[in-house]
Amino acid sequence: MKNLSLQLILGIESSCDETGIALYHQERGLLAHALHTQAAMHNEYGGVVPELASRDHIQRALPLIRQVLGQAQCEMNDIDAIAYTRGPGLSGALLVGASIGCALAYALDIPAIGIHHLEGHLLSPLLSDPAPEFPFIALLVSGGHTQLMRVDGVGRYTLLGETLDDAAGEAFDKSAKLLGLSYPGGPELAKLATRGQAERFKLPRPMLHSGDLDFSFSGLKTAVLTLTKQHSLDDQTRADIAHAAQAAIVEVLVSKALSALKQTGLKQLVIAGGVGANQRLRSQLNAAAERKGIRVFYPALEFCTDNGAMIAFAGALRLRQQAPQKGYAFDIKPRWDLQQFCN
Ligand code: KG4
Ligand code: ZN
């Protein structure tokens, strides 16, 4: 294996329905990144079809790798290490990224390192300028996860609270589906909600006063379903329901995030994961931040949702502090607790 200081890291993200590829340089930062989203393909089925996702990753990964190399004006041989998403995610989709990453690393005689997808999300705000400093609270809100974590450093994460059932993104997506919106519904629902009237419907705020930092969103879709059955779904009514669903999800997220800051005495909040792109969530957090003297950090929008940059970057940070895995045998971890992974 090449004995180099590992400067140029290729990142491969393929845990779900996005193929993300990026090149991160330890000194020069992010050089290039590219993404192919499969949303249009899965839209037809109303959700991600795992087998189709895997097949699409196979077709996209190498062309995207060539594309980012071209953008960064680098050659395949310039790559010093490869970081790929090892889990959690869809097995077949993860296997594509892991096998391409490890095969390429073997061919180039460079190390490969498997990255926890959520660690990618947690660290992605550090890619932006200004970046938070450790320690901070991270609100991780994606299609599969809703967690509040205390982040003391790379690999030093403490779970403070999480969803007991559906994730916030799932609540957005399921509500959106009930309103006849296409997959993934979160952004569509947010768009529709901008035309909604604030006062017409009020949905429950699950676990708002539970006294802990856990969440529960599964009841919300039932409440949305009830509304859709009680009313004829003209455009305004759909927008009003969208508004109510978004308001309920966002209020709970904001309230629990502020409680986490209060409990820990920390003053920096980082929002990671796809739901972090939500404008209402951002504006409410910003308003609260101003009132309470805290700082909220958001990754650039393109790094909020799944992307290769966060995997390349997490790989770069990990490689600064740990030896890469030995050899090229790999396994994937479709279910992988972040806390377990830290210990
Ligand atoms: O982090 P992510 O790209 O993928 C994982 O789940 O790992 O998050 C995707 C989730 C989806 O549920 C999507 O509907 C939601 O993030 N999302 C949004 C918005 N943009 C993406 N939800 C609400 N408002 C948005 N603007
Ligand atoms: Zn994600």
Side-chain angles (χ1 to χ4, degrees), residues 3 17 105 113 127 133-134 138 157 276 279 325 330 338:
N3 186 17
D17 58 347
I113 181 169
L127 277 168
E133 282 170 19
F134 300 122
Y157 315 119
Q279 287 305 329
Q325 69 195 36
F330 60 88
L338 186 60

Side-chain angles (χ1 to χ4, degrees), residues 13 15 117-118 121 142-143 273-274 304-306 310:
E13 154 62 29
S15 64
H117 179 82
L118 297 182
H121 277 306
S142 70
C304 266
T305 49
D306 289 351
M310 67 182 193

Side-chain angles (χ1 to χ4, degrees), residues 11-14 16-21 34-42 52-68 96-97 100:
I12 303 176
E13 154 62 29
S14 71
C16 188
D17 58 347
E18 256 125 16
T19 320
I21 305 289
L35 187 82
H36 174 77
T37 174
Q38 305 172 352
M41 181 177 77
H42 297 297
L52 294 183
S54 314
R55 290 188 211 169
D56 200 65
H57 286 305
I58 292 174
Q59 299 200 332
R60 305 288 171 180
L62 284 174
L64 284 176
I65 291 172
R66 287 196 196 96
Q67 185 182 323
V68 295
V96 176
I100 289 177

Side-chain angles (χ1 to χ4, degrees), residues 100-128:
I100 289 177
C102 289
L104 212 52
Y106 174 68
L108 295 170
D109 194 24
I110 58 174
I113 181 169
I115 297 295
H116 196 295
H117 179 82
L118 297 182
E119 176 169 58
H121 277 306
L122 278 184
L123 298 176
S124 62
L126 302 178
L127 277 168
S128 298

Side-chain angles (χ1 to χ4, degrees), residues 69-107:
L69 283 168
Q71 278 167 17
Q73 297 182 319
C74 293
E75 304 286 333
M76 207 59 107
N77 273 321
D78 296 330
I79 302 170
D80 294 319
I82 296 180
Y84 61 90
T85 305
R86 188 177 173 207
L90 303 170
S91 315
L94 289 167
L95 274 172
V96 176
S99 54
I100 289 177
C102 289
L104 212 52
Y106 174 68

Side-chain angles (χ1 to χ4, degrees), residues 131-144:
E133 282 170 19
F134 300 122
F136 55 81
I137 297 294
L139 174 65
L140 198 62
V141 272
S142 70

Side-chain angles (χ1 to χ4, degrees), residues 59-281:
Q59 299 200 332
R60 305 288 171 180
L62 284 174
L64 284 176
I65 291 172
R66 287 196 196 96
Q67 185 182 323
V68 295
L69 283 168
Q71 278 167 17
Q73 297 182 319
C74 293
E75 304 286 333
M76 207 59 107
N77 273 321
D78 296 330
I79 302 170
D80 294 319
I82 296 180
Y84 61 90
T85 305
R86 188 177 173 207
L90 303 170
S91 315
L94 289 167
L95 274 172
V96 176
S99 54
I100 289 177
C102 289
L104 212 52
Y106 174 68
L108 295 170
D109 194 24
I110 58 174
I113 181 169
I115 297 295
H116 196 295
H117 179 82
L118 297 182
E119 176 169 58
H121 277 306
L122 278 184
L123 298 176
S124 62
L126 302 178
L127 277 168
S128 298
D129 188 20
E133 282 170 19
F134 300 122
F136 55 81
I137 297 294
L139 174 65
L140 198 62
V141 272
S142 70
H145 293 85
T146 301
Q147 296 183 328
L148 274 162
M149 314 276 305
R150 180 190 166 112
V151 181
D152 285 286
V154 177
R156 295 171 58 205
Y157 315 119
T158 311
L159 182 66
L160 303 174
E162 65 183 334
T163 183
L164 305 178
D165 40 59
D166 288 356
E170 220 174 334
F172 268 105
D173 294 342
K174 287 179 176 171
S175 304
K177 201 168 176 181
L178 290 168
L179 293 171
L181 299 170
S182 57
Y183 165 87
E188 296 283 319
L189 185 136
K191 205 157 81 189
L192 184 60
T194 57
R195 291 192 278 112
Q197 307 168 99
E199 301 308 324
R200 183 157 169 214
F201 301 119
K202 173 124 177 145
L203 289 169
R205 270 65 172 151
M207 292 183 74
L208 188 61
H209 302 296
S210 61
D212 56 23
L213 297 174
D214 288 334
F215 304 84
S216 165
F217 289 110
S218 66
L220 200 66
K221 68 170 183 290
T222 317
V224 171
L225 178 66
T226 308
L227 279 185
T228 60
K229 286 191 169 152
Q230 284 169 344
H231 299 270
S232 77
L233 291 183
D234 55 81
D235 278 356
Q236 189 56 50
T237 302
R238 287 169 66 245
D240 295 344
I241 297 175
H243 191 286
Q246 175 175 256
I249 298 168
V250 166
E251 187 179 333
V252 178
L253 292 175
V254 170
S255 161
K256 299 268 170 164
L258 295 178
S259 299
L261 288 163
K262 196 167 170 200
Q263 280 181 26
T264 55
L266 298 182
K267 295 280 177 203
Q268 298 178 100
L269 175 67
V270 156
I271 310 299
V275 181
N278 186 270
Q279 287 305 329
R280 185 180 172 98
L281 177 66

